[in-house]
Structures are given as C-alpha cells and as structure tokens.
Amino acid sequence: MTADKQITRKKFFRYSFYLLTFPLIYLWAKLIEERESLIDTKKLIKIPLDLPNGASVYDDVLIYKQYDLLKIFSASCTHLGCKINKIDSGNFVCPCHGSKYLFNGEVSEGPAYKSLKQLDYKIDQKEKVILVEINGKV
Ligand code: FES
C-alpha cells in the first residue's frame, strides 16, 4: 500500500512537472518569436534630397553631408541605445550619458566606445529623396 502511494506520488510530481513545464516552454518560445519579429521590423525613411550641407538629425538617423559626401548613421547610441538627438560643437551628442560622436561616426567622448552604425542608402531621383531602411526601433 505504501509502495503504491509512493509511485502515485512520483507520478503526480512527474505529471505536474510536465503540465507546468510545457506551457512555460510554449510561452518562452512565443516571447522569443515576438521579440524576433520586432527586431525584423523595417522602417523606410525618406530624406529630402535637397538637404543642406552639414550635420543634421532626421527622424531616426543622423546625417552628415558635404557636397557629394553623404554619410548616414543610425541615431541609436552604441552605449545603451538611447536616441541621439542633438548636435553640439561638431559632435552628435547622446542625451542619456553624454557620449559624443564625430561626424564620421567615431566616438569622440565616452562612455560609448563603438562607432555609430553607418547605414546604406539609395537615391530616388524621381521622388527627389534619399531612402534609408533601418531595422526595428532606434
Ligand atoms: S546611451 Fe548614449 S551615452 Fe549612454
């Protein structure tokens, strides 16, 4: 009788384990899937082609233009991902912890140590815009 109860108890714990574990694994997989779909989200930014020379912040990108030279960077700070939204004394400046980046994307002052992510772009002469595709949130 005692042996039956122990087996029953073992079965109870085993079934309980499965009943609790499988839903948790399912939820975990759903969370990962949702997170990946957020990362895969793409956003198309259209920048007017007649942008003036110099540095500018436009939507979720940072732009540096000097005649034919055009560099476009993600506005996501390489320190902890805050959106860079300011230009000061020849630098793009992050509002969160003050990291500064030169207009070529290199760090001029930490705490960030990695350069800004430079983005590819296409020029649409018909619409007179610069097209930049960025991933997810910035
Ligand atoms: S997130 Fe930009 S300096 Fe920390």
Side-chain angles (χ1 to χ4, degrees):
M1 189 78 172
T2 314
D4 284 346
K5 279 188 178 176
Q6 284 179 340
I7 291 169
T8 303
R9 192 173 295 148
K10 278 184 184 175
K11 281 184 180 176
F12 172 77
F13 284 119
R14 186 177 303 145
Y15 291 140
S16 298
F17 174 77
Y18 291 135
L19 283 173
L20 291 173
T21 305
F22 287 128
L24 286 175
I25 290 171
Y26 176 78
L27 287 174
W28 183 257
K30 279 287 185 192
L31 278 173
I32 290 172
E33 188 180 299
E34 194 165 310
R35 182 176 157 76
E36 285 175 356
S37 72
L38 281 176
I39 290 169
D40 286 343
T41 304
K42 299 207 186 266
K43 178 179 175 183
L44 186 65
I45 299 173
K46 293 181 178 184
I47 304 163
L49 197 53
D50 59 353
L51 205 66
N53 282 331
S56 53
V57 178
Y58 190 92
D59 201 338
D60 289 336
V61 296
L62 307 171
I63 303 163
Y64 181 67
K65 182 182 173 196
Q66 271 309 322
Y67 304 104
D68 287 343
L69 173 74
L70 178 63
K71 290 185 180 279
I72 300 176
F73 303 98
S74 165
S76 179
C77 180
T78 60
H79 179 227
L80 293 176
C82 285
K83 184 175 172 179
I84 298 166
N85 59 2
K86 197 169 136 192
I87 297 168
D88 186 36
S89 307
N91 291 280
F92 293 116
V93 182
C94 178
C96 292
H97 312 105
S99 287
K100 294 180 179 178
Y101 300 87
L102 300 171
F103 294 152
N104 65 5
E106 291 177 5
V107 174
S108 60
E109 193 175 315
Y113 62 91
K114 283 175 62 181
S115 298
L116 292 171
K117 182 182 176 191
Q118 190 166 350
L119 302 170
D120 293 330
Y121 61 87
K122 290 179 185 167
I123 294 177
D124 184 338
Q125 292 290 355
K126 195 174 176 184
E127 281 193 51
K128 301 210 177 301
V129 290
I130 302 163
L131 300 170
V132 183
E133 192 174 72
I134 60 170
N135 289 330
K137 62 177 188 162
V138 172

PDB file of all heavy atoms in Angstrom, residues 34-46 59-61 117 119-120 122 131-138:
ATOM      1  N   GLU A  34       8.082  36.677 -30.773  1.00  0.00           N
ATOM      2  CA  GLU A  34       7.596  38.055 -30.826  1.00  0.00           C
ATOM      3  C   GLU A  34       8.757  39.045 -30.831  1.00  0.00           C
ATOM      4  O   GLU A  34       8.757  40.023 -31.559  1.00  0.00           O
ATOM      5  CB  GLU A  34       6.691  38.323 -29.630  1.00  0.00           C
ATOM      6  CG  GLU A  34       5.891  39.596 -29.785  1.00  0.00           C
ATOM      7  CD  GLU A  34       4.754  39.662 -28.787  1.00  0.00           C
ATOM      8  OE1 GLU A  34       3.999  38.676 -28.693  1.00  0.00           O
ATOM      9  OE2 GLU A  34       4.660  40.678 -28.111  1.00  0.00           O
ATOM     10  N   ARG A  35       9.761  38.761 -30.016  1.00  0.00           N
ATOM     11  CA  ARG A  35      10.934  39.638 -29.949  1.00  0.00           C
ATOM     12  C   ARG A  35      11.656  39.669 -31.295  1.00  0.00           C
ATOM     13  O   ARG A  35      12.049  40.717 -31.771  1.00  0.00           O
ATOM     14  CB  ARG A  35      11.879  39.153 -28.850  1.00  0.00           C
ATOM     15  CG  ARG A  35      13.092  40.018 -28.676  1.00  0.00           C
ATOM     16  CD  ARG A  35      13.922  39.515 -27.494  1.00  0.00           C
ATOM     17  NE  ARG A  35      15.291  39.934 -27.589  1.00  0.00           N
ATOM     18  CZ  ARG A  35      15.739  41.156 -27.333  1.00  0.00           C
ATOM     19  NH1 ARG A  35      14.898  42.067 -26.955  1.00  0.00           N
ATOM     20  NH2 ARG A  35      17.011  41.453 -27.447  1.00  0.00           N
ATOM     21  N   GLU A  36      11.790  38.496 -31.927  1.00  0.00           N
ATOM     22  CA  GLU A  36      12.454  38.440 -33.235  1.00  0.00           C
ATOM     23  C   GLU A  36      11.655  39.183 -34.291  1.00  0.00           C
ATOM     24  O   GLU A  36      12.226  39.825 -35.158  1.00  0.00           O
ATOM     25  CB  GLU A  36      12.689  36.994 -33.652  1.00  0.00           C
ATOM     26  CG  GLU A  36      13.833  36.365 -32.887  1.00  0.00           C
ATOM     27  CD  GLU A  36      14.019  34.894 -33.178  1.00  0.00           C
ATOM     28  OE1 GLU A  36      13.205  34.319 -33.929  1.00  0.00           O
ATOM     29  OE2 GLU A  36      14.971  34.320 -32.626  1.00  0.00           O
ATOM     30  N   SER A  37      10.337  39.108 -34.204  1.00  0.00           N
ATOM     31  CA  SER A  37       9.524  39.829 -35.192  1.00  0.00           C
ATOM     32  C   SER A  37       9.679  41.334 -35.004  1.00  0.00           C
ATOM     33  O   SER A  37       9.622  42.092 -35.962  1.00  0.00           O
ATOM     34  CB  SER A  37       8.058  39.413 -35.104  1.00  0.00           C
ATOM     35  OG  SER A  37       7.469  39.926 -33.940  1.00  0.00           O
ATOM     36  N   LEU A  38       9.876  41.786 -33.758  1.00  0.00           N
ATOM     37  CA  LEU A  38      10.124  43.207 -33.524  1.00  0.00           C
ATOM     38  C   LEU A  38      11.454  43.629 -34.111  1.00  0.00           C
ATOM     39  O   LEU A  38      11.595  44.692 -34.694  1.00  0.00           O
ATOM     40  CB  LEU A  38      10.137  43.504 -32.021  1.00  0.00           C
ATOM     41  CG  LEU A  38       8.783  43.611 -31.347  1.00  0.00           C
ATOM     42  CD1 LEU A  38       8.971  43.812 -29.847  1.00  0.00           C
ATOM     43  CD2 LEU A  38       7.991  44.760 -31.917  1.00  0.00           C
ATOM     44  N   ILE A  39      12.464  42.762 -33.951  1.00  0.00           N
ATOM     45  CA  ILE A  39      13.792  43.067 -34.472  1.00  0.00           C
ATOM     46  C   ILE A  39      13.758  43.132 -35.990  1.00  0.00           C
ATOM     47  O   ILE A  39      14.410  43.955 -36.596  1.00  0.00           O
ATOM     48  CB  ILE A  39      14.808  42.020 -33.968  1.00  0.00           C
ATOM     49  CG1 ILE A  39      15.022  42.209 -32.472  1.00  0.00           C
ATOM     50  CG2 ILE A  39      16.135  42.137 -34.714  1.00  0.00           C
ATOM     51  CD1 ILE A  39      15.797  41.095 -31.812  1.00  0.00           C
ATOM     52  N   ASP A  40      12.955  42.254 -36.614  1.00  0.00           N
ATOM     53  CA  ASP A  40      12.890  42.211 -38.071  1.00  0.00           C
ATOM     54  C   ASP A  40      12.101  43.371 -38.668  1.00  0.00           C
ATOM     55  O   ASP A  40      12.100  43.553 -39.863  1.00  0.00           O
ATOM     56  CB  ASP A  40      12.261  40.892 -38.536  1.00  0.00           C
ATOM     57  CG  ASP A  40      13.241  39.754 -38.373  1.00  0.00           C
ATOM     58  OD1 ASP A  40      14.438  40.034 -38.220  1.00  0.00           O
ATOM     59  OD2 ASP A  40      12.810  38.587 -38.403  1.00  0.00           O
ATOM     60  N   THR A  41      11.430  44.137 -37.828  1.00  0.00           N
ATOM     61  CA  THR A  41      10.629  45.234 -38.332  1.00  0.00           C
ATOM     62  C   THR A  41      11.519  46.247 -39.044  1.00  0.00           C
ATOM     63  O   THR A  41      12.521  46.687 -38.514  1.00  0.00           O
ATOM     64  CB  THR A  41       9.910  45.946 -37.168  1.00  0.00           C
ATOM     65  OG1 THR A  41       9.161  44.990 -36.466  1.00  0.00           O
ATOM     66  CG2 THR A  41       8.994  47.029 -37.683  1.00  0.00           C
ATOM     67  N   LYS A  42      11.150  46.583 -40.237  1.00  0.00           N
ATOM     68  CA  LYS A  42      11.947  47.533 -41.003  1.00  0.00           C
ATOM     69  C   LYS A  42      11.169  48.833 -41.152  1.00  0.00           C
ATOM     70  O   LYS A  42       9.949  48.830 -41.217  1.00  0.00           O
ATOM     71  CB  LYS A  42      12.276  46.950 -42.358  1.00  0.00           C
ATOM     72  CG  LYS A  42      13.085  45.670 -42.255  1.00  0.00           C
ATOM     73  CD  LYS A  42      13.929  45.475 -43.469  1.00  0.00           C
ATOM     74  CE  LYS A  42      14.624  44.134 -43.443  1.00  0.00           C
ATOM     75  NZ  LYS A  42      15.910  44.134 -42.913  1.00  0.00           N
ATOM     76  N   LYS A  43      11.909  49.902 -41.206  1.00  0.00           N
ATOM     77  CA  LYS A  43      11.296  51.215 -41.363  1.00  0.00           C
ATOM     78  C   LYS A  43      12.018  51.931 -42.489  1.00  0.00           C
ATOM     79  O   LYS A  43      13.250  51.944 -42.519  1.00  0.00           O
ATOM     80  CB  LYS A  43      11.438  51.992 -40.051  1.00  0.00           C
ATOM     81  CG  LYS A  43      10.880  53.389 -40.091  1.00  0.00           C
ATOM     82  CD  LYS A  43      11.061  54.058 -38.743  1.00  0.00           C
ATOM     83  CE  LYS A  43      10.609  55.494 -38.792  1.00  0.00           C
ATOM     84  NZ  LYS A  43      10.851  56.181 -37.517  1.00  0.00           N
ATOM     85  N   LEU A  44      11.259  52.505 -43.385  1.00  0.00           N
ATOM     86  CA  LEU A  44      11.838  53.236 -44.510  1.00  0.00           C
ATOM     87  C   LEU A  44      11.750  54.728 -44.226  1.00  0.00           C
ATOM     88  O   LEU A  44      10.671  55.256 -43.950  1.00  0.00           O
ATOM     89  CB  LEU A  44      11.092  52.906 -45.797  1.00  0.00           C
ATOM     90  CG  LEU A  44      11.676  53.492 -47.068  1.00  0.00           C
ATOM     91  CD1 LEU A  44      13.056  52.894 -47.346  1.00  0.00           C
ATOM     92  CD2 LEU A  44      10.748  53.249 -48.242  1.00  0.00           C
ATOM     93  N   ILE A  45      12.887  55.387 -44.250  1.00  0.00           N
ATOM     94  CA  ILE A  45      12.935  56.821 -44.004  1.00  0.00           C
ATOM     95  C   ILE A  45      13.238  57.528 -45.320  1.00  0.00           C
ATOM     96  O   ILE A  45      14.144  57.123 -46.047  1.00  0.00           O
ATOM     97  CB  ILE A  45      14.016  57.151 -42.947  1.00  0.00           C
ATOM     98  CG1 ILE A  45      13.668  56.462 -41.628  1.00  0.00           C
ATOM     99  CG2 ILE A  45      14.145  58.659 -42.757  1.00  0.00           C
ATOM    100  CD1 ILE A  45      14.741  56.573 -40.577  1.00  0.00           C
ATOM    101  N   LYS A  46      12.465  58.564 -45.602  1.00  0.00           N
ATOM    102  CA  LYS A  46      12.665  59.342 -46.827  1.00  0.00           C
ATOM    103  C   LYS A  46      13.193  60.712 -46.442  1.00  0.00           C
ATOM    104  O   LYS A  46      12.496  61.494 -45.796  1.00  0.00           O
ATOM    105  CB  LYS A  46      11.353  59.474 -47.598  1.00  0.00           C
ATOM    106  CG  LYS A  46      10.846  58.163 -48.156  1.00  0.00           C
ATOM    107  CD  LYS A  46       9.560  58.381 -48.925  1.00  0.00           C
ATOM    108  CE  LYS A  46       9.089  57.063 -49.526  1.00  0.00           C
ATOM    109  NZ  LYS A  46       7.891  57.251 -50.366  1.00  0.00           N
ATOM    110  N   ASP A  59      14.534  62.257 -38.275  1.00  0.00           N
ATOM    111  CA  ASP A  59      13.795  61.050 -37.867  1.00  0.00           C
ATOM    112  C   ASP A  59      14.699  60.188 -36.975  1.00  0.00           C
ATOM    113  O   ASP A  59      15.148  60.667 -35.948  1.00  0.00           O
ATOM    114  CB  ASP A  59      13.328  60.299 -39.115  1.00  0.00           C
ATOM    115  CG  ASP A  59      12.160  59.362 -38.839  1.00  0.00           C
ATOM    116  OD1 ASP A  59      11.976  58.984 -37.676  1.00  0.00           O
ATOM    117  OD2 ASP A  59      11.433  59.009 -39.775  1.00  0.00           O
ATOM    118  N   ASP A  60      14.993  58.979 -37.389  1.00  0.00           N
ATOM    119  CA  ASP A  60      15.816  58.081 -36.569  1.00  0.00           C
ATOM    120  C   ASP A  60      17.235  57.936 -37.105  1.00  0.00           C
ATOM    121  O   ASP A  60      17.919  56.953 -36.797  1.00  0.00           O
ATOM    122  CB  ASP A  60      15.168  56.691 -36.498  1.00  0.00           C
ATOM    123  CG  ASP A  60      13.905  56.707 -35.649  1.00  0.00           C
ATOM    124  OD1 ASP A  60      13.776  57.595 -34.788  1.00  0.00           O
ATOM    125  OD2 ASP A  60      13.051  55.835 -35.855  1.00  0.00           O
ATOM    126  N   VAL A  61      17.669  58.897 -37.907  1.00  0.00           N
ATOM    127  CA  VAL A  61      19.034  58.827 -38.444  1.00  0.00           C
ATOM    128  C   VAL A  61      19.777  60.140 -38.246  1.00  0.00           C
ATOM    129  O   VAL A  61      19.171  61.195 -38.048  1.00  0.00           O
ATOM    130  CB  VAL A  61      19.038  58.442 -39.949  1.00  0.00           C
ATOM    131  CG1 VAL A  61      18.475  57.052 -40.162  1.00  0.00           C
ATOM    132  CG2 VAL A  61      18.288  59.459 -40.783  1.00  0.00           C
ATOM    133  N   LYS A 117      26.614  53.179 -36.152  1.00  0.00           N
ATOM    134  CA  LYS A 117      26.390  52.259 -37.262  1.00  0.00           C
ATOM    135  C   LYS A 117      26.049  53.063 -38.515  1.00  0.00           C
ATOM    136  O   LYS A 117      25.053  53.790 -38.551  1.00  0.00           O
ATOM    137  CB  LYS A 117      25.239  51.310 -36.925  1.00  0.00           C
ATOM    138  CG  LYS A 117      24.966  50.299 -37.998  1.00  0.00           C
ATOM    139  CD  LYS A 117      23.793  49.430 -37.631  1.00  0.00           C
ATOM    140  CE  LYS A 117      23.491  48.488 -38.786  1.00  0.00           C
ATOM    141  NZ  LYS A 117      22.216  47.818 -38.602  1.00  0.00           N
ATOM    142  N   LEU A 119      24.713  53.564 -42.194  1.00  0.00           N
ATOM    143  CA  LEU A 119      23.614  52.925 -42.926  1.00  0.00           C
ATOM    144  C   LEU A 119      23.767  53.119 -44.429  1.00  0.00           C
ATOM    145  O   LEU A 119      24.249  54.156 -44.888  1.00  0.00           O
ATOM    146  CB  LEU A 119      22.281  53.526 -42.467  1.00  0.00           C
ATOM    147  CG  LEU A 119      21.983  53.420 -40.970  1.00  0.00           C
ATOM    148  CD1 LEU A 119      20.761  54.258 -40.609  1.00  0.00           C
ATOM    149  CD2 LEU A 119      21.778  51.973 -40.561  1.00  0.00           C
ATOM    150  N   ASP A 120      23.331  52.107 -45.163  1.00  0.00           N
ATOM    151  CA  ASP A 120      23.296  52.218 -46.624  1.00  0.00           C
ATOM    152  C   ASP A 120      22.076  53.039 -47.022  1.00  0.00           C
ATOM    153  O   ASP A 120      21.091  53.101 -46.287  1.00  0.00           O
ATOM    154  CB  ASP A 120      23.190  50.833 -47.259  1.00  0.00           C
ATOM    155  CG  ASP A 120      24.448  50.010 -47.020  1.00  0.00           C
ATOM    156  OD1 ASP A 120      25.535  50.608 -46.908  1.00  0.00           O
ATOM    157  OD2 ASP A 120      24.325  48.779 -46.930  1.00  0.00           O
ATOM    158  N   LYS A 122      19.792  54.707 -50.697  1.00  0.00           N
ATOM    159  CA  LYS A 122      19.589  54.793 -52.142  1.00  0.00           C
ATOM    160  C   LYS A 122      19.014  56.178 -52.441  1.00  0.00           C
ATOM    161  O   LYS A 122      18.286  56.735 -51.626  1.00  0.00           O
ATOM    162  CB  LYS A 122      18.583  53.734 -52.617  1.00  0.00           C
ATOM    163  CG  LYS A 122      19.103  52.333 -52.558  1.00  0.00           C
ATOM    164  CD  LYS A 122      18.042  51.369 -53.030  1.00  0.00           C
ATOM    165  CE  LYS A 122      18.526  49.950 -52.844  1.00  0.00           C
ATOM    166  NZ  LYS A 122      17.454  48.969 -52.983  1.00  0.00           N
ATOM    167  N   LEU A 131      16.575  57.335 -49.660  1.00  0.00           N
ATOM    168  CA  LEU A 131      15.849  56.271 -48.974  1.00  0.00           C
ATOM    169  C   LEU A 131      16.805  55.514 -48.060  1.00  0.00           C
ATOM    170  O   LEU A 131      17.862  55.047 -48.493  1.00  0.00           O
ATOM    171  CB  LEU A 131      15.239  55.303 -49.981  1.00  0.00           C
ATOM    172  CG  LEU A 131      14.250  55.911 -50.973  1.00  0.00           C
ATOM    173  CD1 LEU A 131      13.908  54.909 -52.062  1.00  0.00           C
ATOM    174  CD2 LEU A 131      12.999  56.363 -50.246  1.00  0.00           C
ATOM    175  N   VAL A 132      16.428  55.423 -46.801  1.00  0.00           N
ATOM    176  CA  VAL A 132      17.233  54.683 -45.829  1.00  0.00           C
ATOM    177  C   VAL A 132      16.324  53.691 -45.132  1.00  0.00           C
ATOM    178  O   VAL A 132      15.248  54.064 -44.649  1.00  0.00           O
ATOM    179  CB  VAL A 132      17.846  55.626 -44.768  1.00  0.00           C
ATOM    180  CG1 VAL A 132      18.730  54.848 -43.816  1.00  0.00           C
ATOM    181  CG2 VAL A 132      18.613  56.740 -45.423  1.00  0.00           C
ATOM    182  N   GLU A 133      16.746  52.450 -45.097  1.00  0.00           N
ATOM    183  CA  GLU A 133      15.950  51.428 -44.410  1.00  0.00           C
ATOM    184  C   GLU A 133      16.654  51.086 -43.107  1.00  0.00           C
ATOM    185  O   GLU A 133      17.837  50.774 -43.102  1.00  0.00           O
ATOM    186  CB  GLU A 133      15.828  50.188 -45.291  1.00  0.00           C
ATOM    187  CG  GLU A 133      14.797  49.214 -44.791  1.00  0.00           C
ATOM    188  CD  GLU A 133      14.598  48.068 -45.766  1.00  0.00           C
ATOM    189  OE1 GLU A 133      15.495  47.216 -45.861  1.00  0.00           O
ATOM    190  OE2 GLU A 133      13.549  48.047 -46.431  1.00  0.00           O
ATOM    191  N   ILE A 134      15.915  51.182 -42.007  1.00  0.00           N
ATOM    192  CA  ILE A 134      16.501  50.821 -40.715  1.00  0.00           C
ATOM    193  C   ILE A 134      15.704  49.677 -40.114  1.00  0.00           C
ATOM    194  O   ILE A 134      14.530  49.494 -40.416  1.00  0.00           O
ATOM    195  CB  ILE A 134      16.562  52.011 -39.740  1.00  0.00           C
ATOM    196  CG1 ILE A 134      15.172  52.567 -39.470  1.00  0.00           C
ATOM    197  CG2 ILE A 134      17.494  53.094 -40.246  1.00  0.00           C
ATOM    198  CD1 ILE A 134      15.159  53.564 -38.348  1.00  0.00           C
ATOM    199  N   ASN A 135      16.365  48.929 -39.247  1.00  0.00           N
ATOM    200  CA  ASN A 135      15.720  47.797 -38.583  1.00  0.00           C
ATOM    201  C   ASN A 135      15.172  48.200 -37.235  1.00  0.00           C
ATOM    202  O   ASN A 135      15.836  48.891 -36.481  1.00  0.00           O
ATOM    203  CB  ASN A 135      16.719  46.661 -38.357  1.00  0.00           C
ATOM    204  CG  ASN A 135      17.080  45.990 -39.641  1.00  0.00           C
ATOM    205  OD1 ASN A 135      16.285  45.932 -40.559  1.00  0.00           O
ATOM    206  ND2 ASN A 135      18.296  45.482 -39.696  1.00  0.00           N
ATOM    207  N   GLY A 136      13.991  47.690 -36.926  1.00  0.00           N
ATOM    208  CA  GLY A 136      13.412  47.797 -35.601  1.00  0.00           C
ATOM    209  C   GLY A 136      13.405  49.189 -35.022  1.00  0.00           C
ATOM    210  O   GLY A 136      13.336  50.173 -35.732  1.00  0.00           O
ATOM    211  N   LYS A 137      13.463  49.226 -33.705  1.00  0.00           N
ATOM    212  CA  LYS A 137      13.420  50.523 -33.046  1.00  0.00           C
ATOM    213  C   LYS A 137      14.807  51.124 -32.979  1.00  0.00           C
ATOM    214  O   LYS A 137      15.806  50.432 -32.970  1.00  0.00           O
ATOM    215  CB  LYS A 137      12.830  50.387 -31.652  1.00  0.00           C
ATOM    216  CG  LYS A 137      13.645  49.512 -30.760  1.00  0.00           C
ATOM    217  CD  LYS A 137      13.046  49.479 -29.401  1.00  0.00           C
ATOM    218  CE  LYS A 137      13.990  48.754 -28.475  1.00  0.00           C
ATOM    219  NZ  LYS A 137      13.773  48.981 -27.128  1.00  0.00           N
ATOM    220  N   VAL A 138      14.829  52.399 -32.922  1.00  0.00           N
ATOM    221  CA  VAL A 138      16.105  53.108 -32.816  1.00  0.00           C
ATOM    222  C   VAL A 138      16.203  53.756 -31.467  1.00  0.00           C
ATOM    223  O   VAL A 138      15.251  54.144 -30.884  1.00  0.00           O
ATOM    224  CB  VAL A 138      16.244  54.162 -33.925  1.00  0.00           C
ATOM    225  CG1 VAL A 138      17.457  55.026 -33.699  1.00  0.00           C
ATOM    226  CG2 VAL A 138      16.330  53.494 -35.248  1.00  0.00           C
TER     227      VAL A 138
END
